[in-house]
Amino acid sequence: MKRGGSFFWGVILGTMAGLIMGILLAPRKEEKIKNILGKKTEELRDNLQEISKKIGQKVHRIKSDFEARWKKNKIEKEKMDQVEDELGT
């Protein structure tokens, strides 16, 4: 009976030791995972900001080109209207 009792106490003590070690080591793993996730989130945010900046530049360029063409066409239309008025057509 003594051997059975020793085995039982060994299982209980081993379980408790494993539980304590798990509790002590788990926060470190969670902290490491949080650090990794934090870094990846920061990288993603930086990448999205860079992409947003590039898109903004392209939109500005397209808008400027459109405005320049609009003004050019408007001036050409005004010139055509002037010529038509001079010709009386």
Side-chain angles (χ1 to χ4, degrees), residues 48-62:
L48 289 175
Q49 286 177 343
E50 186 176 328
I51 289 169
S52 173
K53 184 178 176 183
K54 288 180 181 180
I55 289 172
Q57 291 172 346
K58 287 184 179 186
V59 167
H60 180 71
R61 192 175 328 128
I62 290 169

Side-chain angles (χ1 to χ4, degrees), residues 28-67:
R28 291 183 187 147
K29 289 181 182 180
E30 287 178 9
E31 191 174 312
K32 185 176 180 180
I33 291 170
K34 285 181 184 178
N35 287 339
I36 291 170
L37 289 176
K39 288 177 184 177
K40 293 296 181 181
T41 303
E42 188 175 327
E43 287 176 16
L44 179 62
R45 182 174 34 100
D46 292 342
N47 288 339
L48 289 175
Q49 286 177 343
E50 186 176 328
I51 289 169
S52 173
K53 184 178 176 183
K54 288 180 181 180
I55 289 172
Q57 291 172 346
K58 287 184 179 186
V59 167
H60 180 71
R61 192 175 328 128
I62 290 169
K63 179 184 172 195
S64 298
D65 289 346
F66 179 78
E67 287 175 346

